[in-house]
Amino acid sequence: MMTLHHRATRRFRTRASTAALACIFSFITLIFTSPVASATEGPDSVSTEELTAALEATPYSEAFLEEDGTYRIGEPIPSSASPSDSETAPDTPPTLQKYYTQQLTGVTQQEDFGFFTSAFVIVPIDYAHPDAGNVALHLNIFPATGQKKGMILFNNGGPGGKASEYVAEVLDTPQMRALNESYDLVGLDPRGVGSSLPFAQCAVDEFRDVSAGAPAVYTDDLSAQTAANVARTREYVRSCFSYTGRALGLTDDQRALFLRNMGSTSAAQDMDVVRSVLGEEKLNFVGLSYGTRLGYVYARSFPQRVGRFVLDGAVSPNEGTAPTAADATTALTDEQLRALNALDLTQASAFQNTFEQFAQWCSSLSARAQTWAELTDGGIPDNRTAACPLQLADVQPHDGDLADDAVSLATQQVQNILRPLTTQPLTHTENLFGTERTTSLSFDVAVTALSGGLYSQDDWPVLAYGLAQIHAGQIMPEYVRLYSNFEDTDGYGNAAYTAVTCADGANPAGASLENSIRVQTMLYAAAPYRDPGAQYHGIGSLSACSAWPFAGNLAADAPGTRVENLALNLPQTLIVSTTHDPATPYANGEILARALGGSLLSVEGAQHVAWLRTGAGYACSNDIIVSYLLNGTVPQDGAYGALCSVRGFAAGSARAGGAGGDAARAGKAASSASTPDAPEEKRVKTSASTSPSPQTKKSSVLAKTGADVITASALVLVLTAAGAAVLMVRRHRKT
């Protein structure tokens, strides 16, 4: 058996560049389903022994190894402090006191990436019925290197982001080092994610990005493809309930209860237990992408315990929630479907917007007069002058081509490059060390990789070169690997995305193939660069959440509830939104800032989230975020550098004190932008002329339906496999 130390090292050995993007997964629910069934029908057949082997390979799982060789999660270890000594669990029900006042379980000291502590916190499967069994949350704690002021908890998105690994991977950045001087930095894997136990386990095929064998193709037999898609999704969902937690001895009822409670509401309460166990009165939190959803739900549930909150890449608090009684029907009009699936349609439009930004950049390559090698500092070893494949003569719109008419020029160009793959996937044979290997590339994988490359402008050269290679009949492995930016291909990674998304907002009562096809067509209209062609729009499928056995339980904020006044009772929060973010649309930032009464930091850019970005001009956003976390201050409204502007959404002049007893929220802005001191009560919203901010339109305040959010499955971070049936099974956008 591998040692703890080696196993931890192996798990941390991931692409730092991906982690630095901050959010490897995308929250928005399963946008596009692949209309093609994969070559292998049905889920993987996984035995209990194989599930146990996967558990055994999970870092630190030895903490729950019994003498008889089985793994079990027991009760939390009682704290050595007397109940009267604990001030971190006020107003906690007696049935939950043992969780709020426990000691850490399975504590080990590690030396990789600098000294840190690895441990578990025990929480109930169901907070309403704590006697139903327990689960274990894994966290890594990187202690403050100087005088400690508190701790900061991180979530890097998903759902499914492994925050324990994320913090380790970005710890050596200047921003994290600055925070680590004063704070313990904590990466917590949410329930069902990463090294937390049990982690969600569903059937998963080997990633078929460039794999031998017959790639997925589109055919005229739409009914057969539809039937295969639906069967695969139902089997995939069945596998989630069969596999998850079995290796830890959970019964059928406990597994179902765990999956029912794997959503954002329980995860937010878990964060509060961790806060208490680590001895903090307030929670300081950095949430990226889906992490902003966790931050909002925590603030709604525990407003009195909110400290300094940075929420970057906002998910709208009004979408992706549990269905209402009116949603539990398949008799939905187009207007209802658009409203109920606003979350997915908005994200689809955002990806299209970022694709258009990429196309503009691509068209400027010829003016740069650089070689591919010069453009990428040798990353692409090609000394030919970089040229945009979208400008090639034969991909321009012309009679008899494969492109649609009523779409942008850039979309027509990319359709002419990628749509031939729908029926004629690329195949490539090469000799590797004396062994001949044949690989293939389908339309679904190629277009998903394109989406994955839109998360970061650093990947745009690979997108351009990869599209040129596809046009020339070649496969660029670096291009194909961008698939994983959009859909998770790491073991059971997509299972967590599916389980959390469905626990929040599934609506099986509203699911039908007809609705699925109608919404899929809407999604293609919103992001036509992903559209395989109208002749395939009749292929049906069900999302995993449409086949889920129960409805989601993330309550929406109903008018008239106390949540309406949430912004009046919170300390200053900092919301960050990037103007052309492909996964979390800019407008969501304003919605979230209004809900929390916080300040919105707008960042000009065309990539996902701003935190830890290293491109030109991003110092302004990093400096403002670090300054806020260290000092509890946000800059006054106005512009900061070329990319950043701030706008306050304070709900009133009388605000509660900030984290750590900060009496005032005003003060000097971050080091990169000096502003005069001003008291909080004098901070007012500025006009567009003095506080430039992108024009936005407010998203509809709607509860999401499970009525078929066309799925496939994949983040985040996230986020799964190629081809067809992967559809509702593995295709998810990372947030």
Side-chain angles (χ1 to χ4, degrees), residues 592-683:
L592 189 58
R594 286 187 184 279
L596 297 176
S599 290
L600 176 63
L601 168 59
S602 299
V603 183
E604 294 288 341
Q607 44 198 3
H608 186 40
V609 306
W611 174 238
L612 299 187
R613 290 288 179 185
T614 57
Y618 277 92
C620 65
S621 55
N622 283 313
D623 287 349
I624 288 172
I625 293 171
V626 169
S627 176
Y628 165 74
L629 289 170
L630 290 178
N631 306 314
T633 61
V634 294
Q636 295 178 345
D637 291 4
Y640 296 87
L643 301 186
C644 299
S645 63
V646 173
R647 183 185 179 194
F649 286 84
S653 59
R655 304 182 60 88
D662 299 318
R665 223 86 34 216
K668 292 194 179 296
S671 58
S672 64
S674 179
T675 57
D677 292 341
E680 168 67 15
E681 58 269 25
K682 291 185 179 179
R683 292 186 64 224

Side-chain angles (χ1 to χ4, degrees), residues 203-284:
V204 59
D205 289 332
E206 180 183 357
F207 178 41
R208 298 176 64 251
D209 55 352
V210 229
S211 59
V217 296
Y218 288 69
T219 72
D220 295 331
D221 193 346
L222 307 188
S223 61
Q225 291 186 23
T226 296
N229 290 343
V230 173
R232 180 175 180 83
T233 298
R234 294 195 183 283
E235 284 299 297
Y236 177 78
V237 169
R238 181 200 60 76
S239 75
C240 298
F241 286 79
S242 175
Y243 300 165
T244 301
R246 193 200 302 174
L248 283 160
L250 269 63
T251 65
D252 290 350
D253 288 343
Q254 285 178 313
R255 294 199 295 272
L257 186 65
F258 173 67
L259 289 169
R260 187 183 292 272
N261 286 278
M262 232 187 93
S264 301
T265 301
S266 295
Q269 182 146 10
D270 292 342
M271 290 161 56
D272 197 55
V273 173
V274 170
R275 171 203 60 77
S276 177
V277 172
L278 295 183
E280 300 293 325
E281 294 184 8
K282 301 278 188 178
L283 179 69
N284 301 315

Side-chain angles (χ1 to χ4, degrees), residues 564-622:
E564 282 190 328
N565 297 319
L566 177 63
L568 293 171
N569 302 313
L570 291 179
Q572 183 68 61
T573 55
L574 182 63
I575 316 304
V576 187
S577 200
T578 302
T579 55
H580 298 288
D581 189 318
T584 49
Y586 173 82
N588 289 351
E590 181 172 323
I591 295 171
L592 189 58
R594 286 187 184 279
L596 297 176
S599 290
L600 176 63
L601 168 59
S602 299
V603 183
E604 294 288 341
Q607 44 198 3
H608 186 40
V609 306
W611 174 238
L612 299 187
R613 290 288 179 185
T614 57
Y618 277 92
C620 65
S621 55
N622 283 313

Side-chain angles (χ1 to χ4, degrees), residues 527-575:
Y529 80 93
R530 289 191 59 102
D531 188 349
Q535 66 270 37
Y536 305 118
H537 289 183
I539 299 175
S541 59
L542 290 178
S543 71
C545 294
S546 293
W548 214 244
F550 48 76
N553 54 31
L554 177 59
D557 295 340
T561 65
R562 64 180 180 83
V563 179
E564 282 190 328
N565 297 319
L566 177 63
L568 293 171
N569 302 313
L570 291 179
Q572 183 68 61
T573 55
L574 182 63
I575 316 304

Side-chain angles (χ1 to χ4, degrees), residues 23-76:
C23 199
I24 24 183
F25 309 115
S26 176
F27 164 71
I28 313 305
T29 63
L30 325 169
I31 278 198
F32 289 93
T33 57
S34 161
V36 186
S38 75
T40 304
E41 301 303 335
D44 301 340
S45 178
V46 181
S47 67
T48 299
E49 290 73 22
E50 290 173 298
L51 294 172
T52 302
L55 172 63
E56 187 178 72
T58 302
Y60 318 115
S61 60
E62 288 96 335
F64 304 100
L65 179 61
E66 302 284 309
E67 291 184 0
D68 63 359
T70 61
Y71 290 82
R72 297 292 183 272
I73 298 172
E75 292 297 306

